[in-house]
Amino acid sequence: MAVDPQAYRPERPLTALGEPFYDVVDAARFPETRLRFRNDRAAAQVGLDKLDDAEWIAHFGRFAPLPDTLEQPLALRYHGHQFRVYNPDIGDGRGFTFAQLRDGRGRLLDLGTKGSGQTPWSRFGDGRLTLKGGVREVLATEMLEALNVPTSRSFSLIETGEALERNDEPSPTRGAVLVRLSHSHVRIGTFQRLAYNRDEDALRRLTGYVLRELYGEEGEDPVRLLELVVERTAVLAARYMAAGFVHGVLNSDNINVTGESFDYGPWRFAPVWDPAFVAAYFDHAGLYAFGRQPEAILWDVMQLAGALRQIAESEPLIAALDRFAEHYQPAIAAAVLWRLGRRPRAAEEDRAVVQSVERALRGTGVAVDRFFFDAFAQDLPAHYGTEWDEVRTRLAPYGARRARDHAYWQGEPCAMLIEEVEAIWAPVAAADDWTRFHAKIDAIRTMGDALA
């Protein structure tokens, strides 16, 4: 097998947790395995970019084990609040953790799947993923990575030759299996399940695992764990906002304990700065609307605190939760300034910039991506009217963090609105034409290089 011996660092600490954290499962056997996307940039970071396509398909379409890591796939067990209703009947219903690896920085990463077959937690589902759903997830993760949002990375997408029936898209529709590279698949809901079962020993073991393997800290202190999760999730919420991104389903089983975004279903990028904009057609109350995402993420973290209450006192947990806003405010300022291509200054000035940008975007209806493109590391163009004078004044003292010398700035802003997602999918569906898909990946990565 053609792994890079210098970069391939297999691990399997998840197996030490043992029961009751997962079920050993088998991958589905697919009639076909047609490679549609392989992320060699991500693969290089874990020593797997030297695999040829046949080896790639064997591991990520047929799920032959990678050397010296997990011997069998593990479907993780968890519960969660789904639109604030507690559900004890969920878990990895169409995915599993396939391998654990360390990257060059020593971070423990999971290779997890979506659409890899039924598990004990599938309930009435078929355990499959539509090809369109896989394409959408690749586009989401590439765009978020380029916009500096902590996200899982779409590692592989393989079409499976299956025809799937779905209620929310024309059927039968093509099937696929996705592999994602993520800094943990341990969710807030993983802790909720153990608390629901009143398994204090397992709660302590999981706390120790997360602190040791994911944060590099010793001990089993639940308060320290909550402090770290509060900080990371506040940063995630801030970067969602600066990216103009709406996840759509911020349930507690969709928030992991490293503050890394993952599992993309009805996501959207907001065309304009509208706090009421929703991604999911079924989110009738706007619970996870664009402007409510920080609140939604904090609510989920509160459920983690509730689970940890079984092994910790309330007061220090409450104190940790109370620091969410303290972390969020500088994080949103840093995220907006990063996207504006400016270096931060004093905290009060930075907050004033964010407030002025939000007011102007809401008041004028200028497209989010257009504004950040036009304002990056330069004065606002003259066609931005007097409504933008406060933004001009606020930004005047700020130095650029990098010049507008990349070729990207000579073109048009790279965006990812729903209309373009559908336009990328249409030729794939009609004629198996992947030209627009691959061109968009190239354009997103070009933007990421210009912003980095």
Side-chain angles (χ1 to χ4, degrees):
M1 177 184 164
V3 299
D4 181 346
Q6 301 301 315
Y8 182 68
R9 301 172 60 191
E11 294 275 4
R12 48 186 166 198
L14 185 61
T15 59
L17 286 173
E19 213 279 334
F21 293 93
Y22 53 73
D23 295 273
V24 176
V25 296
D26 294 317
R29 295 181 180 273
F30 301 118
E32 296 178 13
T33 46
R34 300 181 66 188
L35 181 58
R36 296 304 193 179
F37 172 78
R38 57 178 284 171
N39 190 340
D40 282 321
R41 292 204 314 183
Q45 296 180 353
V46 290
L48 294 174
D49 56 314
K50 302 293 192 291
L51 297 177
D52 62 32
D53 283 354
E55 291 173 315
W56 188 280
I57 289 169
H59 290 297
F60 307 125
R62 302 295 183 189
F63 295 101
L66 289 166
D68 304 317
T69 178
L70 303 181
E71 295 177 358
Q72 295 175 285
L74 304 178
L76 303 184
R77 302 177 180 180
Y78 50 86
H79 289 178
H81 278 87
Q82 299 184 309
F83 284 82
R84 308 234 169 136
V85 177
Y86 193 75
N87 189 347
D89 297 318
I90 54 176
D92 276 342
R94 57 172 174 168
F96 49 66
T97 301
F98 172 64
Q100 292 189 289
L101 310 162
R102 291 198 186 272
D103 67 9
R105 293 186 288 161
R107 290 193 315 157
L108 181 67
L109 301 173
D110 294 345
L111 282 172
T113 65
K114 191 173 184 178
S116 51
Q118 292 181 314
T119 77
W121 308 104
S122 299
R123 294 181 290 170
F124 303 108
D126 61 11
R128 301 313 204 251
L129 171 70
T130 68
L131 181 61
K132 184 178 184 181
V135 165
R136 284 172 46 81
E137 182 140 342
V138 173
L139 293 172
T141 56
E142 288 284 331
M143 193 71 176
L144 289 173
E145 182 183 357
L147 291 173
N148 203 32
V149 176
T151 179
S152 63
R153 303 173 76 184
S154 296
F155 196 80
S156 171
L157 181 65
I158 291 175
E159 188 170 358
T160 60
E162 295 177 307
L164 307 178
E165 296 292 330
R166 292 292 185 269
N167 295 326
D168 55 355
E169 60 179 286
S171 295
T173 188
R174 292 149 71 177
V177 62
L178 178 85
V179 176
R180 65 166 71 102
L181 185 66
S182 182
H183 185 34
S184 166
H185 285 84
V186 176
R187 300 153 162 86
I188 288 173
T190 313
F191 284 85
Q192 289 181 279
R193 182 180 186 275
L194 301 177
Y196 181 90
N197 292 331
R198 306 199 68 80
D199 192 338
E200 294 184 7
D201 178 65
L203 276 169
R204 291 189 179 91
R205 277 192 289 144
L206 184 59
T207 299
Y209 172 89
V210 172
L211 285 171
R212 180 179 62 256
E213 302 294 345
L214 305 180
Y215 283 101
E217 298 197 6
E218 294 301 321
E220 297 180 351
D221 182 358
V223 175
R224 179 58 181 156
L225 172 63
L226 185 63
E227 290 172 346
L228 291 166
V229 175
V230 165
E231 182 175 358
R232 290 282 188 89
T233 54
V235 170
L236 173 63
R239 294 193 186 177
Y240 273 175
M241 298 303 292
F245 180 72
V246 189
H247 183 282
V249 189
L250 292 174
N251 296 331
S252 62
D253 58 299
N254 283 341
I255 304 293
N256 77 12
V257 293
T258 61
E260 185 182 80
S261 181
F262 76 112
D263 202 15
Y264 301 98
W267 60 268
R268 297 281 190 279
F269 281 89
V272 297
W273 197 277
D274 176 8
F277 180 80
V278 296
Y281 68 88
F282 46 82
D283 187 4
H284 304 296
L287 183 63
Y288 299 142
F290 175 51
R292 297 184 67 183
Q293 290 182 118
E295 166 202 337
I297 290 173
L298 174 57
W299 192 93
D300 288 328
V301 178
M302 290 170 64
Q303 309 320 301
L304 174 61
L308 294 174
R309 176 63 186 84
Q310 290 195 15
I311 56 172
E313 296 298 320
S314 295
E315 288 188 7
L317 294 173
I318 293 170
L321 288 172
D322 286 344
R323 297 192 65 197
F324 185 90
E326 179 183 327
H327 293 300
Y328 177 80
Q329 292 301 331
I332 184 65
V336 169
L337 287 167
W338 180 89
R339 201 169 177 195
L340 287 167
R342 314 300 172 105
R343 297 190 188 95
R345 288 167 57 86
E348 191 171 329
E349 290 180 71
D350 295 348
R351 282 196 298 272
V353 167
V354 173
Q355 291 165 359
S356 66
V357 165
E358 288 183 348
R359 280 194 296 270
L361 281 170
R362 289 183 67 178
T364 63
V366 170
V368 173
D369 299 293
R370 178 86 255 173
F371 162 70
F372 281 111
F373 181 90
D374 290 343
F376 187 91
Q378 69 174 8
D379 294 336
L380 275 176
H383 67 265
Y384 282 77
T386 57
E387 306 97 322
W388 293 90
D389 284 350
E390 183 186 0
V391 174
R392 288 188 175 92
T393 300
R394 296 290 186 189
L395 284 176
Y398 282 78
R401 64 175 176 83
R402 66 166 299 174
R404 284 177 73 100
D405 54 1
H406 193 283
Y408 171 71
W409 303 112
Q410 306 307 311
E412 290 295 309
C414 180
M416 184 59 72
L417 302 183
I418 186 61
E419 295 81 7
E420 185 173 6
V421 176
E422 294 297 328
I424 290 168
W425 170 249
V428 174
D432 203 34
D433 181 355
W434 292 79
T435 306
R436 291 191 68 159
F437 171 79
H438 290 296
K440 190 63 182 183
I441 299 299
D442 290 342
I444 292 169
R445 292 182 175 184
T446 297
M447 177 184 70
D449 292 341
L451 290 172

